[in-house]
Amino acid sequence: MPHSVRFVSNEIQETPLADLHVKLGAKMIPFAGWNMPVQYTSIINEHTAVREKVGIFDISHMGQFFLEGEGAEQWLNTLLSNDVAKLGVGEGQYTMMLNENGGVIDDLIIYREAEGRIFLVVNASMIDQDYAWLEKHLAEGLILSNESNAWAGMAVQGPEASAAFKTLFPERELPPRNGMEKWTQDNESLIVCRTGYTGEDGFEFFSPAESGSKWFQSFVDKGAEPCGLGARDSLRLEVCYPLNGSDLSPSRTPLEAGLGFFCALEKGDFIGRDSLLKQKEEGLKERLVALKYTGKGAPPRAHYEVFSKEGERLSELTSGVLSPSLREGIALAYLPLSHAKLGTLVDIDVRGRKFEAEVVKKPFYKKA
Amino acid sequence: MNIPENLRYTSDHEWILLEGDIATVGITDHAQEELTDVVFVELPDEGRSCDAADPVAVVESVKAASDIYCPIAGEIVSGNVDLEADPSLVNTSPYESGWIFKVKVNDVADVEALMDAAAYQDLIG
């Protein structure tokens, strides 16, 4: 398979579902270079639909790469933080691509489709950079293809997601948690992955770009509420899933971000490992902590400043929202270890007013 | 779209009800529909004097914070404290229970110079 050519352009891109979003009443906004639905009816409605029933998100803006060749797993293991060797065929894992300093280039999910064939799903804003990074290090004999434009993607999430799948595909079973399956039906390649970004059960479904709208509409017809990026952000933040570019960055390591679980330091060498080992030995200076308002207050948002109770500026929020499920202000921020202990009180500055928040255990929201 | 005849409007989608020299200010039905899900309202301090177009309050949805401007020069008399307990009144009752603040206006002629319902209807199309 030839490497697909991707033209870099400053123009805002449309997913294959753009027309359908407008037809479904979406408000569209630019996000990571893409014109995306931020909401259809209301963020709270959509958020609640996912927590209580089922919602569907367009994730066609995300990137899809395929890596193929003998030894693909071993090579990839030198570029990613998690241990690819632990993946059986049909299994997926959350992992990170790090720079030499251990900073996060991107967080992604990889699935071992078959022996010597890996499916990678990367962040929309990082498609070109990730591809260039992998390509630069690519081992002889392996083929990396960027098929991002060929696929439409949608995340169907919520307690009723698997029932929606079952009605649409009565002959098929969803793969187990984190699993992946690819099959051909009516001459179309389809992929389903039991993963998501909401903290609910659900799956991510990929079809050829041209039939994306048909599939999205089919899930909507089965009861899935169309959901935009607004609800996607509030849902992921309630369960403390990081957002690359906000909570993760090339100058922060997974250890600082609390993602050490996804760094297999013992597996052998990978890019960034030495820096992580060194950081581990020297000890962390800051950690990404979960902050929750102790009372009512103006919604916390990214970039609001965080102060100690003594009035010292500590840092700024990397994410924040008034949690639709908890009805409380929740946020993430990198804080010095002196202020990162559970129960520590800090103040969040919102337009000059201070609202008290407490360092709490992650995640904010847990299924009852 | 509900645009009451008895109110005045600004291009920032605020409505103004003048009674004597007291103007009650809120955001229009159109504005609340655009914002959706109001989750927090920051009220102005009582007694604060303000010029026309000064940002005095903030209405926040899940996604964004929007400034609310004082439509006419005057002095803030009160804010709607009911919104502290239930900010969604701005969505459910934008012209009544969802009012945001009252201002004692310096010159009632300033209010009369604002858009009427027909002009506001033209603005939002």
Side-chain angles (χ1 to χ4, degrees), chain B residues 82-94:
Chain B
D82 291 347
L83 298 181
E84 288 173 354
D86 186 4
S88 71
L89 289 172
V90 173
N91 295 119
T92 54
S93 179

Side-chain angles (χ1 to χ4, degrees), chain A residues 27 38-39 41-45 229-230 233-234 296-299 301 304 321-322 350-351 353 355, chain B residues 33-40 42-45 58 60-65 67 84-87:
Chain A
K27 273 186 197 152
V38 62
Q39 66 180 68
T41 55
S42 109
I43 294 174
I44 293 178
N45 284 348
L229 293 176
D233 192 53
S234 55
K296 284 194 165 227
R301 300 185 192 277
Y304 287 178
V321 76
L322 195 75
V350 183
R351 299 178 292 269
R353 293 183 194 200
F355 295 98
Chain B
E33 222 178 78
E34 285 294 308
L35 283 171
T36 66
D37 297 336
V38 172
V39 293
F40 185 82
E42 188 175 298
L43 300 170
D45 293 328
V58 182
E60 301 205 38
S61 67
V62 178
K63 200 68 197 158
D67 282 328
E84 288 173 354
D86 186 4

Side-chain angles (χ1 to χ4, degrees), chain B:
Chain B
M1 190 63 57
N2 184 11
I3 306 175
E5 286 291 332
N6 61 325
L7 305 177
R8 295 283 167 166
Y9 298 89
T10 71
S11 55
D12 296 314
H13 309 285
E14 288 142 5
W15 57 261
I16 298 95
L17 171 69
L18 187 66
E19 292 165 302
D21 63 351
I22 302 294
T24 304
V25 181
I27 65 167
T28 65
D29 192 23
H30 172 72
Q32 72 76 20
E33 222 178 78
E34 285 294 308
L35 283 171
T36 66
D37 297 336
V38 172
V39 293
F40 185 82
V41 180
E42 188 175 298
L43 300 170
D45 293 328
E46 283 173 26
R48 166 180 174 180
S49 60
C50 47
D51 287 329
D54 278 358
V56 290
V58 182
V59 171
E60 301 205 38
S61 67
V62 178
K63 200 68 197 158
S66 312
D67 282 328
I68 305 298
Y69 303 94
C70 192
I72 47 271
E75 187 186 304
I76 303 289
V77 180
S78 62
N80 182 0
V81 291
D82 291 347
L83 298 181
E84 288 173 354
D86 186 4
S88 71
L89 289 172
V90 173
N91 295 119
T92 54
S93 179
Y95 296 113
E96 286 163 20
S97 327
W99 65 275
I100 297 171
F101 60 90
K102 290 180 195 285
V103 54
K104 185 174 189 299
V105 303
N106 294 347
D107 185 352
V108 290
D110 289 348
V111 178
E112 279 147 18
L114 297 171
M115 269 183 277
D116 63 10
Y120 182 66
Q121 173 71 69
D122 284 348
L123 176 83
I124 62 173

Side-chain angles (χ1 to χ4, degrees), chain A residues 45-57 155-165 200-203 219-220 222-227:
Chain A
N45 284 348
E46 294 163 24
H47 182 108
T48 309
V50 172
R51 286 275 177 258
E52 293 174 1
K53 294 190 170 86
V54 54
I56 183 167
F57 302 82
V156 182
Q157 302 280 301
E160 294 174 12
S162 65
F165 183 84
E200 298 295 329
D201 184 26
F203 57 91
F219 285 115
V220 171
K222 300 293 175 213
E225 180 89 21
C227 297

